[in-house]
């Protein structure tokens, strides 16, 4: 949030940006499930996505997305476009106090890097590092997520 608004910076060439351009919509999902995170980012979302949101998200916010002025943005980042998000609907499905592990955090980092490898191949070392941390420090779900990541990327 800045100046009373909420913004998202989306990478050129990303599936997320393609979807936002096609629908002018963003659904922000809150999930503790690392497998769902990997599948929704790299897979086709089958079985995990319902009505444009994650099926088992603890909460979600559906927003209209408008391309933002370049003014005030980072003009040196041609690969990133800026979008203003206007909340339309929200729901809390489960009120939880989430705990986070190093393995879960590494699944998130590895997944983000994996979605950008085609655009920035120099991220491969970071991707590998975080997959290894997820395998070493994560529980069963984090290890399954790391295995799925390797299946998509390797």
């Amino acid at each position: 949030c800045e100046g009373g608004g909420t913004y998202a910076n989306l990478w050129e060439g990303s599936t997320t940006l393609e979807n936002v351009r096609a629908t002018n919509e963003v659904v922000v999902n809150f999930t503790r499930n690392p497998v769902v995170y990997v599948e929704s980012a790299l897979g086709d979302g089958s079985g995990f996505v319902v009505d444009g949101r994650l099926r088992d998200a603890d909460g979600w916010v559906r927003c209209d997305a408008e391309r933002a002025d370049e003014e005030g943005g980072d003009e040196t980042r041609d690969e990133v476009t800026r979008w203003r998000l206007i909340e339309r609907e929200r729901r809390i499905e489960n009120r939880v106090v989430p705990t986070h592990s190093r393995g879960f955090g590494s699944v998130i980092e590895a997944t983000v890097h994996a979605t950008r490898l085609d655009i920035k191949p120099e991220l491969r070392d970071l991707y590998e590092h975080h997959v290894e941390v997820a395998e070493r420090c994560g529980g069963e779900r984090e290890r399954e997520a790391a295995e799925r990541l390797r299946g998509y990327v390797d």
Side-chain angles (χ1 to χ4, degrees):
C1 296
E2 62 183 55
T6 302
Y7 294 86
N9 294 323
L10 303 178
W11 284 71
E12 286 292 342
S14 69
T15 302
T16 301
L17 181 56
E18 289 175 21
N19 291 340
V20 169
R21 283 183 172 144
T23 64
N24 290 318
E25 178 180 272
V26 170
V27 179
V28 179
N29 292 276
F30 301 92
T31 183
R32 295 168 288 135
N33 187 329
V35 173
V36 170
Y37 191 83
V38 168
E39 287 298 325
S40 65
L42 298 172
D44 64 6
S46 294
F48 296 104
V49 177
V50 175
D51 190 30
R53 62 179 178 78
L54 294 180
R55 182 191 68 218
D56 73 339
D58 293 320
W60 49 270
V61 180
R62 188 178 310 272
C63 302
D64 292 323
E66 297 175 351
R67 179 70 193 262
D69 259 328
E70 292 303 313
E71 183 176 63
D74 184 352
E75 294 168 10
T76 64
R77 304 278 310 263
D78 292 336
E79 69 270 11
V80 175
T81 60
R82 188 172 173 79
W83 294 78
R84 183 164 189 264
L85 305 181
I86 300 105
E87 182 180 324
R88 195 171 67 218
E89 175 185 16
R90 77 166 74 182
R91 180 158 307 147
I92 297 172
E93 304 288 351
N94 299 304
R95 291 189 180 272
V96 295
V97 177
T99 58
H100 294 282
S101 71
R102 203 169 158 214
F104 180 83
S106 286
V107 168
I108 302 303
E109 291 297 322
T111 303
V112 170
H113 296 317
T115 65
R116 297 178 179 161
L117 286 174
D118 289 343
I119 302 164
K120 293 197 165 273
E122 63 269 22
L123 294 174
R124 167 92 39 197
D125 288 344
L126 285 171
Y127 159 79
E128 287 293 339
H129 166 76
H130 285 291
V131 169
E132 289 170 9
V133 171
E135 291 169 337
R136 224 178 26 253
C137 299
E140 181 181 329
R141 296 299 278 171
E142 287 81 11
R143 287 190 296 275
E144 180 182 347
E147 183 179 325
R148 288 176 185 238
L149 270 167
R150 288 199 185 280
Y152 283 114
V153 173
D154 298 339

